[in-house]
Amino acid sequence: AAKAMAAKAMAAKAMAATASSTSFHLSARANLGFRRLKTSTSAAEASPSSKLTQVLATASRAGYGRRRPSTVPDCEPATAEEIASLASFIGSKERLLVITGAGCSTESNIPDYRSPTGAYSSGFKPMTHQDFLKTEANQRRYWARSFVGWRRFAEQTAPNDAHRAIAELQRESNVWRHITQNVDRLHQVAGAADVLELHGSTHDVQCLACGAVSCRRRLQRRLADLN
């Protein structure tokens, strides 16, 4: 609840900066309503709202029946009424700000943080930037863990139906701006453009000495060669 309130507060600030913009926070429960919706939509319906409903429902049905990754929190699926309401909401807005968080990537086998199956629930404690800068020992520890975990996080994951549907909504001009708290870049892999990465990305590495930015994948190969 606290995370949702923080996201809504951030969206409210964006609305204040652009008076005519509209914000919408993607809830962990609905994930834009993409999770295993048991409904059908008629392709013959031609209204904008019906088209949006079809995009959302098609994405949902594509995931129905698959084995759920262990990273997906246990929750009720979105109802047909919730999908229709969301489609109506999106279709009625001219400048829609979409904000996504960790819940959007759980079906890509990336855990969130605060759910019962989240990273914090397993005892994981992330290293803060301040701790990273304190000592060389902390930096070595960080990179040792990052080197081991990189393949699972970046090379064994792929966009899910939520990422693809958001990209589709953007291509159809239903999304004005897109902000993500995620660092996995799965939105971009799915085809989304101009995504503002609020917390940066694990796919870029910046040198603390000279400020040069390099590709994380190349650094992974370099770490493998050196170790």
Side-chain angles (χ1 to χ4, degrees), residues 21-79:
S21 69
T22 303
S23 66
F24 181 76
H25 175 246
L26 309 183
S27 71
R29 177 177 180 272
N31 262 357
L32 255 183
F34 304 144
R35 185 169 295 124
R36 299 165 177 76
L37 174 68
K38 299 179 182 178
T39 186
S40 61
T41 54
S42 171
E45 296 175 328
S47 70
S49 180
S50 297
K51 184 176 181 181
L52 284 169
T53 302
Q54 187 173 1
V55 170
L56 302 181
T58 298
S60 299
R61 290 197 305 273
Y64 183 69
R66 289 188 311 211
R67 181 173 178 269
R68 288 174 56 151
S70 61
T71 52
V72 179
D74 189 19
C75 64
E76 293 295 322
T79 66

Side-chain angles (χ1 to χ4, degrees), residues 2 23 53 55 95 103 114 134 144 156 164 167 184 187 193 206 224:
S23 66
T53 302
V55 170
R95 308 183 80 181
R114 295 173 179 84
K134 281 181 181 178
Q156 296 179 345
R164 287 188 285 270
D184 50 42
H187 284 298
Q206 185 173 24

Side-chain angles (χ1 to χ4, degrees), residues 108-109 150-158:
S108 294
N109 205 30
W150 172 257
R151 185 177 180 185
R152 176 184 178 276
F153 179 79
E155 298 178 356
Q156 296 179 345
T157 58

Side-chain angles (χ1 to χ4, degrees), residues 201-222:
S201 171
T202 58
H203 289 260
D204 293 328
V205 180
Q206 185 173 24
C207 176
L208 295 177
C210 69
V213 177
S214 59
C215 174
R216 176 65 178 81
R217 292 182 185 275
R218 287 200 295 269
L219 179 62
Q220 182 74 4
R221 292 193 293 268
R222 183 180 176 191

Side-chain angles (χ1 to χ4, degrees), residues 127-139 208:
M127 182 179 294
T128 66
H129 182 65
Q130 291 84 352
D131 286 338
F132 179 84
L133 295 177
K134 281 181 181 178
T135 66
E136 183 177 327
N138 284 354
Q139 295 164 18
L208 295 177

Side-chain angles (χ1 to χ4, degrees), residues 113 153 180-186 197 199-203:
Y113 295 96
F153 179 79
T180 186
Q181 300 178 81
N182 299 342
V183 298
D184 50 42
R185 289 234 167 121
L186 291 180
E197 296 172 319
H199 299 317
S201 171
T202 58
H203 289 260

